[in-house]
Amino acid sequence: MTRPTVRPRTTLPPVRYRIITASLLTVAALYFLVPVYWLVVSTTKNSAELFGTFGFWFAGHPDPLGHLADVLTYDHGIYARWFANSLLYAGIGAVCATLLSAAAGYALAKFPFPGREAVFNLVLAGVLIPGTALALPLYFLFSAMGLADTYWAVLIPSVVSPFGVYLCRIYATAAVPDSLLEAARIDGAGEARIFAGVGLRLMTPALVTVFLFQFVHIWNNYFLPLVMLSDSDLYPIQLGLTSWTGYADRQPVLYQYTVGGAFLSVVPLMVLMTVLQRYWRAGLTEGSVKA
């Protein structure tokens, strides 16, 4: 006669701890979601309703599509140009930063050479330096090269990501086995082919994480374009909306356009976060635990 299998009991934390945890998570969710809700509600209002009605409820005759169409057509569609500029800066910058970080992190993890740890420590130091501290030196450098007030003035600094190099080095150390690389070398594969065919595939979660972080960073970057650009046709969304706010006292309709533009600016980030969040979680947890 076989004995029934006894499953171990799962002990739950005390009720008061679960209540505290749920309460803290609820407060954190409200802290992040209430501004988004206000933005959605405000998008449905015109300039008079924006200041004359309750901020957290819809107007009597909401017309969000009409208001957003006004945003896109104002001043010969300048907002659409700013939106395209932001996509250009964030898209190209994030892709290039991800590939460079992957190559640098893979090399630091898999190729021993004199001074490797010193180089890695220098990369860590770069993580600690705020971007605002480098904006003015970069402006003087690009101005001397004749690249100030061009797309390159924002794109080139955006392809450097010390955090991406750090994450890729840690992840490559944990996720790319040396034995697999040696087997590929024995089969006659070159180092470039091994990196492209084996390294990049195994590092995919980390690469998606770097891409997501860098895209959001470039998309929300305000100070670097402010220092580098003077032509409004080159502005990204963040800088363009700030310029609208500066003229809103003389043109109150710009308050409504700024709110609508801010709503449109968060849509790509929400879509990107929704699509890539599973890779983002895997990239952070797996790399950190295996290391």
Side-chain angles (χ1 to χ4, degrees):
M1 182 176 179
T2 59
R3 294 182 179 181
T5 305
V6 179
R7 296 182 178 179
R9 293 183 179 180
T10 57
T11 58
L12 296 176
V15 176
R16 62 179 182 274
Y17 292 147
R18 283 182 282 169
I19 294 176
I20 293 174
T21 302
S23 301
L24 293 176
L25 291 176
T26 302
V27 171
L30 290 175
Y31 176 80
F32 290 107
L33 293 178
V34 167
V36 178
Y37 171 75
W38 179 89
L39 199 60
V40 173
V41 170
S42 299
T43 305
T44 66
K45 302 178 181 180
N46 57 32
S47 298
E49 293 168 340
L50 193 61
F51 295 98
T53 60
F54 181 60
F56 288 96
W57 195 244
F58 299 92
H61 301 284
D63 185 20
L65 296 181
H67 297 325
L68 294 178
D70 292 339
V71 174
L72 295 174
T73 57
Y74 176 75
D75 194 13
H76 306 289
I78 188 63
Y79 181 85
R81 186 177 183 88
W82 294 341
F83 196 94
N85 290 339
S86 290
L87 287 177
L88 175 69
Y89 296 139
I92 295 179
V95 170
C96 293
T98 302
L99 294 177
L100 289 177
S101 298
Y106 178 85
L108 288 171
K110 297 303 175 182
F111 296 108
F113 57 88
R116 181 175 67 170
E117 294 304 319
V119 172
F120 184 64
N121 292 333
L122 188 63
V123 171
L124 290 180
V127 176
L128 303 177
I129 298 176
T132 54
L134 301 176
L136 286 178
L138 284 174
Y139 171 76
F140 292 129
L141 177 63
F142 280 89
S143 180
M145 298 170 60
L147 296 178
D149 201 25
T150 65
Y151 285 108
W152 297 110
V154 179
L155 277 174
I156 294 177
S158 299
V159 303
V160 179
S161 175
F163 172 76
V165 176
Y166 164 76
L167 181 61
C168 287
R169 192 263 172 107
I170 297 299
Y171 197 91
T173 302
V176 182
D178 293 334
S179 57
L180 186 61
L181 302 182
E182 290 298 330
R185 293 187 183 105
I186 292 174
D187 290 339
E191 296 297 338
R193 184 177 178 183
I194 294 173
F195 170 68
V198 178
L200 288 181
R201 292 186 180 182
L202 295 177
M203 294 170 61
T204 297
L207 301 186
V208 173
T209 304
V210 174
F211 173 81
L212 181 60
F213 275 37
Q214 193 68 4
F215 188 95
V216 174
H217 169 71
I218 300 171
W219 187 272
N220 293 327
N221 195 358
Y222 168 77
F223 191 67
L224 180 64
L226 175 65
V227 172
M228 292 292 188
L229 304 176
S230 58
D231 185 357
S232 61
D233 288 340
L234 303 179
Y235 284 0
I237 290 179
Q238 310 301 332
L239 190 55
L241 293 179
T242 304
S243 68
W244 276 358
T245 306
Y247 293 103
D249 292 336
R250 286 170 285 177
Q251 294 178 275
V253 71
L254 288 178
Y255 284 116
Q256 173 198 342
Y257 293 166
T258 301
V259 171
F263 171 76
L264 291 175
S265 71
V266 302
V267 172
L269 299 183
M270 291 190 294
V271 172
L272 194 66
M273 192 71 70
T274 302
V275 173
L276 299 180
Q277 63 176 341
R278 61 193 183 103
Y279 298 104
W280 174 59
R281 289 198 302 265
L284 284 180
T285 55
E286 187 172 351
S288 61
V289 171
K290 286 186 176 182

